[in-house]
Amino acid sequence: MELVVQFQVLNQSCYCLAWKPHPFVAWGGESQHVVAGYSDGTMRIFSISRTEMEMKMHPHAVALMAVTYSADGEMILSGGKDGLVAISSPRTGMTIRVLTDHKGFPITVLQCTRKQYHDFGVEGNELWLATSADRRVSVWASDWLKDKCELLDWLSFPAPASSEGSSSLPPSLAAFCPWEPGTLVYVGFGLQKEALFYSLHKKQVVKKISLPYFATSLSLSPAACFMAVGFGERLLRLLRCLDSDAQDYAGHDDSVHLCRFAPSGRRLLTASHSAVLVWEFRG
């Protein structure tokens, strides 16, 4: 539990970051990379093993709100406060494509997963989704090396009229479900406080799980049928999705704005205003 590496960028706020996927490489086996997105629209790639910044890119004119590597690590997807999604090459630093489908509302989530085209009858070697603050989710099939990107589905979730701006409403969050292929989970401001399971095959919501409040963070375990949901009421809920069994945990000093399962599924990291908590699963 000690600080190993620290990178500092002066006069900029870092709003998002992502690890380059290296699922089976031991620490130190090869370079470990992190990409971070900043308030001036730039991205920076840092090498952890060499403790240096390797590349700076400027794919956006406004602040970056979400960033992720493609499933194979060959591309970086970034989403801006203006709703634009850029696809950039970490090898050349060039932006190869800009998608405007979510224009006008901040991107809240970008996520990629490995899928073959025959799963949905479209060409590509991975699926990815983008979520924006206006409760819209787009799902895409892509093969970046062949310059292919096809819209697979477009979801728009209703909500009651609100005089508050989108920035003051609970965030719109979505994630692919690891244990149910072809399914994604969505939480956000809506008609009900609930988590929705949407089937990309059936093109419909196939399951709903009630929540005590509107969610502020979401993470799905890659190892078991568990979902962690954080709330603005300083509460963390762990849901066993097979039977909707729920367990609530206190201990945060403010809104639980981040929760993230470790790749093994054995630990969960949560964060609030001034505290980072690490939870361990046993059994």
Side-chain angles (χ1 to χ4, degrees), residues 81 105-106 133-134 164-171:
K81 194 173 183 178
F105 292 89
D134 58 345
E164 302 180 54
S166 61
S167 61
S168 58
L169 293 174

Side-chain angles (χ1 to χ4, degrees), residues 214-236:
F214 288 116
T216 52
S217 54
L218 171 73
S219 184
L220 279 67
S221 170
C225 302
F226 282 98
M227 179 169 66
V229 187
F231 303 100
E233 289 71 18
R234 307 184 182 187
L235 186 71
L236 172 71

Side-chain angles (χ1 to χ4, degrees), residues 228-250:
V229 187
F231 303 100
E233 289 71 18
R234 307 184 182 187
L235 186 71
L236 172 71
R237 171 164 287 193
L238 185 66
L239 282 153
R240 189 167 60 192
C241 296
L242 290 179
D243 53 14
S244 301
D245 183 39
Q247 181 72 47
D248 290 337
Y249 299 91

Side-chain angles (χ1 to χ4, degrees), residues 135 137 156-160 170-175 184-198 204-218 220 227-231 233 237 239 241 244 246:
R135 304 173 305 280
V137 182
S156 184
F157 295 93
S172 303
L173 305 171
L184 61 85
V185 179
Y186 171 85
V187 295
F189 181 64
L191 302 176
Q192 303 291 334
K193 302 177 181 71
E194 57 191 2
L196 303 176
F197 287 70
Y198 179 88
Q204 66 184 37
V205 173
V206 293
K207 185 177 183 178
K208 299 180 180 180
I209 296 180
S210 296
L211 301 174
Y213 312 102
F214 288 116
T216 52
S217 54
L218 171 73
L220 279 67
M227 179 169 66
V229 187
F231 303 100
E233 289 71 18
R237 171 164 287 193
L239 282 153
C241 296
S244 301

